[in-house]
Amino acid sequence: MDPMSLMLFGLLAVMLVFMFLNTRKRQRQMKEQQEEKAAKTVPGAKVLLQGGLYGTIVSFDPVDLDKPAEVELAPGVVIEVHSQAIIRVIDPTDPVDDATDEDEVDAETIPAEGAEDGIEAIQVETPEETKARLERNNDN
């Protein structure tokens, strides 16, 4: 064999080792991300679904990912979605919209549009209030 062939085989071997190590690293990172998402996906947590919808987890089984997760989109509107449709869990520190600090206003003091009917403010539930309401509804 000539030296050029040996160099090509050596280069091929180095590339294969690099690809193998890179694939293992990526698989390990994906597994860690999945475990972190499963740990955060608990009833009462706000999540972003694949279709761009935001909702609150009602039930989720981190062990059996084929079992549908129940997500509440609005008070009383609960849907079943595949567990992989949950893209990420929204931390309380994650911005949901593009509002800046000056633009942010307390949601409980915002007058509702067309508030001729006596409704003065929009009431926003916290995840804890949502979970408590759902537990009360399940008890009935």
Side-chain angles (χ1 to χ4, degrees):
M1 276 207 195
D2 62 46
M4 190 66 150
S5 296
L6 289 175
M7 270 200 297
L8 287 176
F9 282 123
L11 183 61
L12 179 64
V14 168
M15 286 178 37
L16 288 174
V17 167
F18 175 74
M19 288 174 41
F20 175 75
L21 293 175
N22 195 25
T23 302
R24 300 226 346 132
K25 179 181 174 185
R26 193 172 324 139
Q27 286 175 342
R28 188 172 44 250
Q29 286 175 343
M30 287 177 56
K31 185 176 180 179
E32 288 172 1
Q33 288 174 348
Q34 288 173 346
E35 289 173 355
E36 180 182 344
K37 184 176 100 171
K40 287 183 175 181
T41 308
V42 295
K46 187 166 178 134
V47 294
L48 173 64
L49 300 177
Q50 193 168 13
L53 297 173
Y54 288 92
T56 305
I57 295 291
V58 175
S59 71
F60 177 78
D61 187 0
V63 177
D64 184 10
L65 295 179
D66 289 330
K67 183 178 178 185
E70 292 182 352
V71 178
E72 182 179 50
L73 298 178
V77 180
V78 178
I79 62 170
E80 289 185 344
V81 296
H82 193 278
S83 60
Q84 291 179 348
I86 300 170
I87 294 178
R88 65 183 167 111
V89 177
I90 307 298
D91 291 332
T93 57
D94 286 351
V96 176
D97 57 9
D98 294 337
T100 62
D101 290 341
E102 297 96 40
D103 296 337
E104 290 183 18
V105 179
D106 187 15
E108 295 180 349
T109 62
I110 299 174
E113 292 185 30
E116 270 85 352
D117 58 350
I119 299 175
E120 294 188 10
I122 300 170
Q123 297 297 319
V124 179
E125 279 186 340
T126 64
E128 291 79 20
E129 292 170 337
T130 302
K131 186 176 178 182
R133 180 178 50 78
L134 291 171
E135 288 173 354
R136 284 192 310 267
N137 289 346
N138 288 338
D139 291 339
N140 292 339

